[in-house]
Amino acid sequence: QLQLVESGGGLVQPGGSLRLSCAASGFTLDYYPIGWFRQAPGKEREGISCISSSGGSTNYADSVKGRFTISRDNAKNTVYLQMNSLKPEDTAVYYCAAELPRRGPGRCSVVASPYDYWGQGTQVTVSS
């Protein structure tokens, strides 16, 4: 069974930080681009970041650029999302997703439709 599991969500004050993890089981992430997405209540799913399979290319939504950093540790079969300077509007369920290796190692997409495997999500709440 191919599975992605997010962790690291929780309650944090505005201006605080969280690090989300996305761990894979049943397959290795070495050849897969990985995306992070979020969905707030009543809103559409938003692509916020992605990282290519090589780790050499990343993309960020304007809403998180400069505050969030995506990284991967293939030896641990895990992708991370470091979130700094959190704002109340960052409150959402955060999902990671893996795409089958259709692309070159230096490409990734922040559009949800190409992704094949999804985690269950982890709740992030930013509130004072």
Side-chain angles (χ1 to χ4, degrees):
Q1 183 177 357
L2 306 180
Q3 185 173 274
L4 296 171
V5 178
E6 303 95 335
S7 62
L11 175 65
V12 65
Q13 292 184 331
S17 298
L18 286 173
R19 189 182 74 163
L20 305 184
S21 298
C22 174
S25 63
F27 67 107
T28 59
L29 292 179
D30 300 45
Y31 304 104
Y32 293 76
I34 304 296
W36 280 99
F37 302 82
R38 67 186 182 187
Q39 188 164 21
K43 297 185 178 180
E44 296 182 348
R45 185 173 297 177
E46 176 190 15
I48 56 173
S49 187
C50 71
I51 186 167
S52 64
S53 59
S54 69
S57 181
T58 59
N59 291 296
Y60 298 92
D62 288 341
S63 58
V64 306
K65 191 173 296 183
R67 300 187 297 120
F68 291 11
T69 302
I70 190 170
S71 62
R72 64 191 303 154
D73 186 342
N74 287 342
K76 296 182 178 180
N77 218 25
T78 301
V79 174
Y80 303 97
L81 185 68
Q82 179 67 46
M83 306 187 297
N84 298 325
S85 302
L86 284 163
K87 305 174 181 179
E89 52 262 44
D90 294 319
T91 296
V93 177
Y94 283 71
Y95 301 88
C96 68
E99 183 185 3
L100 288 168
R102 306 178 185 94
R103 307 175 185 269
R107 296 183 177 183
C108 72
S109 175
V110 293
V111 176
S113 55
Y115 288 89
D116 300 278
Y117 308 111
W118 291 81
Q120 85 291 342
T122 186
Q123 177 71 46
V124 172
T125 302
V126 185
S127 176
S128 60

